[in-house]
Amino acid sequence: MAQKDSPTRLFTTTSHQEVSPPPLKRRRLTQTPSLALDSPRASSTLQTAGQSRRSSPSKDAFRVFSWNINGINTFLSSTPSARKITSYFTESTKTQKSGTASTDAPPNASRLRTPPGQAPSGSPHSLRAFLGRHNWPEILFLQELKIKPQDGPVLLPKILSALNAPLNAADSVSDNCTYTLNVVLPRDKHNAKAFGGRLYGVGTIMRTDFARKWVATVREVDWDIEGRVSVVEMRVAPEGQDENGPATKPLALLNVYAVNGTTQPYRNPLTGAIHPNCPTRHDRKLVFHSLLRDECLSLEARGFSVVVAGDVNIARGPADGHPNLRTFPEQHCLNRVDFNTKFFGDEDNKRAGAYVGTQDEKNEKCLDAVDVFRAKYGMEKRYTYYPNRGEWGSSCDRVDMVFVSKEVWDDGRVIDTGILDTPQERGPSDHVPFWVKIAL
């Protein structure tokens, strides 16, 4: 349980409280504008930089990219890389795989390239170059930022600047290629203190025009103080949308970095003593599953359909691990069963070849979601976790995924999804990015 006097975890670079969105006729200010949220549940504002003109996001669909980057510092460092940056954008002879090919989907592993006239500048690993290379997606979820909470006020403006500073003279900065930034950092002084507090943390990056038109609230959750969950609540009918069209539920997008199950102790956040009912990180992982499921069910009860994307630290079944699944110690198997039982129904678990529990365990409250990669591509073996040690592909798992409310899938709102599984796209991380395209 969070301490009552703990500061908020949802960080931005200012705390202005304006009406959102600003009227179109409002005079543009020369200073960096602030876009406030219009929900009383919001705990901060959306921040943008480098705005010069307004343009509309797609009227039909939007894309969410998600990536466990294993630390933001690599993307802010100006230290030259030992490897030439051009090596990250060369073509390969690798055969194109399903899940990445579509007219507006990100380029596949076989043809990484930058947009015309744009190239990474300064840092050898650039988030802006990544966004530009993939045609400025509307949303990018990041996990495992590894920022100490006390460093947030200094680092977050640097991240925002890196996201929005032009790469070169040909990089035209406007609302359809600049981004907002919201970050949730850990504030659990007993369970988030390793590495000097540089661990965990999630970042939600949204394109300026998309955020202004579609986003009502970006918020944290009150049941987690390790910096693991950010929730984007979208609007149902933004100004200018055809309200006479077919009704669809608004979406709630959850950026998630799930607990990794280990035998390390889990401590009472208030006292620091080993938690009597939840003594290990394995036990905390099971509690996290329940809390996340309940958050999703609560959102559905409020009239939202949910989209959950991020690093769930679970490989669901045999097709999700290479050369095999991690089964020792046995608790990893129990964690897997718990995740599959709480989030997916019989239909999806059968489709994914997922491990499930006994009948008593199946009576557990269930979100009944759809794992969109398995629903679209069946048992195809594709992975998201590629450790930096050893040869590429010698050991890997699909532990990052997107799953959605069943009605989102049944209504045909999931247009496509894919995994960018190459060393080039992995970059300095030990995970590769993945993406999903969803109809508005």
Side-chain angles (χ1 to χ4, degrees), residues 188 190-191 193 265-280:
D188 187 331
H190 296 296
N191 292 297
K193 64 180 184 179
Y266 178 75
R267 301 182 181 277
N268 185 312
L270 296 176
T271 67
I274 300 217
H275 202 292
N277 302 320
C278 189
T280 73

Side-chain angles (χ1 to χ4, degrees), residues 80-392:
S81 173
R83 183 177 180 183
K84 291 184 178 181
I85 190 63
T86 52
S87 68
Y88 284 90
F89 306 101
T90 56
E91 296 188 358
S92 167
T93 57
K94 186 176 180 180
T95 302
Q96 188 164 350
K97 298 177 180 179
S98 62
T100 52
S102 69
T103 56
D104 56 357
N108 180 259
S110 61
R111 300 185 71 84
L112 299 178
R113 54 187 180 271
T114 55
Q118 297 186 18
S121 174
S123 171
H125 307 291
S126 166
L127 286 176
R128 183 163 181 82
F130 173 84
L131 292 164
R133 188 167 74 247
H134 296 296
N135 197 25
W136 310 112
E138 286 80 1
I139 295 178
L140 171 61
F141 285 165
L142 300 179
Q143 299 89 42
E144 207 167 356
L145 297 176
K146 296 184 177 180
I147 299 173
K148 290 194 300 184
Q150 56 267 41
D151 292 342
V154 174
L155 284 181
L156 296 185
K158 292 182 179 180
I159 299 171
L160 191 67
S161 176
L163 281 168
N164 292 309
L167 294 170
N168 52 40
D171 185 358
S172 176
V173 177
S174 57
D175 284 1
N176 62 355
C177 59
T178 57
Y179 288 84
T180 69
L181 172 66
N182 290 86
V183 171
V184 182
L185 299 180
R187 58 188 172 99
D188 187 331
K189 63 182 180 180
H190 296 296
N191 292 297
K193 64 180 184 179
F195 307 105
R198 292 184 181 88
L199 72 172
Y200 312 146
V202 295
T204 296
I205 295 166
M206 295 183 292
R207 210 174 69 194
T208 302
D209 56 346
F210 179 85
R212 290 194 168 195
K213 184 172 183 180
W214 288 97
V215 176
T217 300
V218 184
R219 63 175 176 86
E220 59 183 350
V221 296
D222 59 8
W223 45 265
D224 172 68
I225 57 174
E226 289 189 357
R228 296 186 175 277
V229 180
S230 177
V231 182
V232 177
E233 296 183 3
M234 295 178 62
R235 295 188 176 99
V236 61
E239 183 180 355
Q241 184 186 15
D242 182 7
E243 298 184 11
N244 296 321
T248 55
K249 290 184 178 181
L251 296 172
L253 316 175
L254 288 84
N255 179 3
V256 172
Y257 177 43
V259 174
N260 186 24
T262 71
T263 57
Q264 291 297 311
Y266 178 75
R267 301 182 181 277
N268 185 312
L270 296 176
T271 67
I274 300 217
H275 202 292
N277 302 320
C278 189
T280 73
R281 303 294 294 179
H282 281 304
D283 299 306
R284 179 59 186 172
K285 183 170 183 62
L286 301 183
V287 172
F288 182 91
H289 288 167
S290 294
L291 292 168
L292 179 62
R293 173 205 58 196
D294 291 347
E295 184 73 31
C296 293
L297 290 172
S298 175
L299 284 162
E300 289 187 336
R302 290 175 52 208
F304 289 94
S305 295
V306 300
V307 177
V308 182
D311 179 0
V312 299
N313 268 310
I314 284 286
R316 296 187 61 197
D320 297 311
H322 175 79
N324 46 51
L325 283 178
R326 186 176 183 182
T327 58
F328 182 83
E330 184 184 3
Q331 185 63 45
H332 289 296
C333 300
L334 301 179
N335 296 346
R336 183 174 295 121
V337 167
D338 184 79
F339 177 76
N340 288 330
T341 302
K342 288 175 179 174
F343 289 98
F344 306 101
D346 289 342
E347 179 183 2
D348 192 87
N349 279 319
K350 182 178 180 180
R351 179 167 51 217
Y355 290 123
V356 294
T358 64
Q359 188 58 46
D360 287 341
E361 289 169 318
K362 289 182 181 180
N363 291 331
E364 177 84 40
K365 188 165 47 173
C366 176
L367 179 62
D368 196 20
V370 173
D371 177 346
V372 300
F373 184 83
R374 285 282 166 252
K376 192 162 186 67
Y377 295 110
M379 299 298 285
E380 183 172 333
K381 295 185 177 181
R382 302 285 294 280
Y383 310 104
T384 62
Y385 173 65
Y386 287 84
N388 289 306
R389 63 185 183 276
E391 183 181 357
W392 169 266

Side-chain angles (χ1 to χ4, degrees), residues 52-68:
S52 60
R53 63 180 176 85
R54 182 177 300 276
S55 58
S56 299
S58 168
K59 295 181 180 179
D60 301 318
F62 67 100
R63 291 172 298 154
V64 179
F65 279 59
S66 182
W67 189 10
N68 179 324

